[in-house]
């Protein structure tokens, strides 16, 4: 099972490989690690580079042991439901994802896959953060002519849906820029098997 924090944006090559590494791991949980300048604002992780086993995780520490943080994307094995049922609300009155990850760490079953250098990850927490993330998306989409995270396009290019399905989806929103974009994808590529 995968969980992602709703405010996270991931963009870059090699992401399929990172996801595949986490999904094919049969036991345990995987946190996606990323190196940041100011880790104190996040859940900081430390790990063994060779085994990728996490040895430490702490939510927003006063002093960070490393510059690696958990990005808000997690992949869990079948034990996640059992472990989640044992969680107690924090002082904020919420169930905390870091507490769930701590259970996996206590069982020595918490791993990381680190996002490569040059990969973009945003977790907008302020108006400025949101502006920077939006500007990044705008610049990439405008300069490449492609859309970031177009679910329909991804499904089509992976062969999960055919041209007719893509055109049908595009027709439902045909007057929008996005509908025209999807139609253009369908009409400009060979049918995928």
């Amino acid at each position: 099972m995968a969980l992602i924090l709703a405010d996270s944006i991931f963009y870059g090559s090699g992401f399929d490989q990172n996801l595949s590494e986490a999904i094919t791991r049969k036991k345990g949980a995987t946190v996606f690690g990323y190196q940041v300048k100011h880790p104190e604002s996040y859940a900081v992780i430390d790990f063994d580079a060779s085994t990728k086993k996490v040895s430490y995780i702490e939510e927003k520490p006063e002093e960070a042991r490393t510059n690696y943080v958990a990005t808000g994307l997690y992949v869990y094995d079948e034990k996640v439901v059992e472990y989640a049922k044992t969680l107690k609300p924090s002082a904020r009155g919420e169930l905390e994802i870091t507490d769930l990850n701590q259970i996996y760490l206590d069982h020595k079953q918490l791993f990381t896959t680190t996002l490569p250098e040059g990969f973009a990850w945003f977790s907008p927490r302020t108006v400025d953060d949101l502006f920077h993330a939006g500007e990044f998306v705008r610049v990439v989409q405008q300069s490449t002519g492609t859309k970031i995270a177009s679910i329909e396009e991804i499904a089509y290019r992976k062969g999960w849906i055919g041209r007719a399905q893509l055109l049908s989806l595009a027709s439902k929103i045909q007057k929008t820029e996005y509908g025209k974009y999807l139609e253009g994808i369908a009409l400009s590529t060979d049918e995928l098997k």
Side-chain angles (χ1 to χ4, degrees):
M1 178 173 69
L3 294 176
I4 184 169
L5 298 181
D7 64 354
S8 293
I9 298 171
F10 297 88
Y11 182 79
S13 62
F15 197 42
D16 284 0
Q17 184 178 353
N18 290 101
L19 286 170
S20 189
E21 179 183 326
I23 291 167
T24 56
R25 188 171 280 123
K26 299 296 182 202
K27 288 188 172 211
T30 300
V31 298
F32 284 71
Y34 192 75
Q35 198 166 17
V36 299
K37 196 174 191 177
H38 301 290
E40 304 83 17
S41 299
Y42 305 94
V44 174
I45 61 172
D46 198 359
F47 57 93
D48 181 301
S50 62
T51 64
K52 300 198 176 187
K53 272 196 171 184
V54 175
S55 58
Y56 164 87
I57 187 166
E58 184 178 357
E59 186 70 32
K60 298 177 183 153
E62 286 188 31
E63 286 190 40
R65 286 172 44 170
T66 74
N67 284 349
Y68 278 96
V69 300
T71 61
L73 176 58
Y74 312 93
V75 176
Y76 296 102
D77 66 11
E78 72 281 350
K79 291 190 178 227
V80 69
V81 174
E82 173 188 332
Y83 292 160
K85 287 179 180 179
T86 69
L87 296 178
K88 304 285 185 245
S90 67
R92 300 184 316 164
E94 298 180 10
L95 299 178
E96 304 288 347
I97 196 76
T98 301
D99 292 341
L100 180 61
N101 292 331
Q102 185 65 48
I103 294 170
Y104 278 95
L105 180 61
D106 293 344
H107 287 90
K108 299 185 180 352
Q109 291 293 309
L110 187 62
F111 300 89
T112 189
T113 181
T114 54
L115 300 172
E117 191 173 313
F119 194 91
W121 167 64
F122 297 93
S123 180
R125 294 163 188 239
T126 66
V127 172
D128 283 344
D129 292 346
L130 191 57
F131 174 79
H132 292 300
E135 184 64 6
F136 174 83
V137 170
R138 186 190 69 75
V139 167
V140 169
Q141 289 185 166
Q142 191 172 47
S143 65
T144 64
T146 62
K147 302 288 184 197
I148 292 178
S150 168
I151 301 302
E152 298 87 352
E153 180 182 4
I154 292 167
Y156 179 66
R157 295 198 186 280
K158 293 279 188 183
W160 300 333
I161 64 172
R163 176 177 282 144
Q165 286 175 288
L166 184 58
L167 285 168
S168 174
L169 292 167
S171 73
K172 294 175 184 173
I173 52 173
Q174 66 187 6
K175 293 183 181 180
T176 68
E177 176 193 342
Y178 189 62
K180 292 174 185 161
Y181 173 77
L182 293 177
E183 183 179 55
I185 296 293
L187 297 175
S188 67
T189 57
D190 292 335
E191 177 72 41
L192 296 173
K193 303 288 181 209

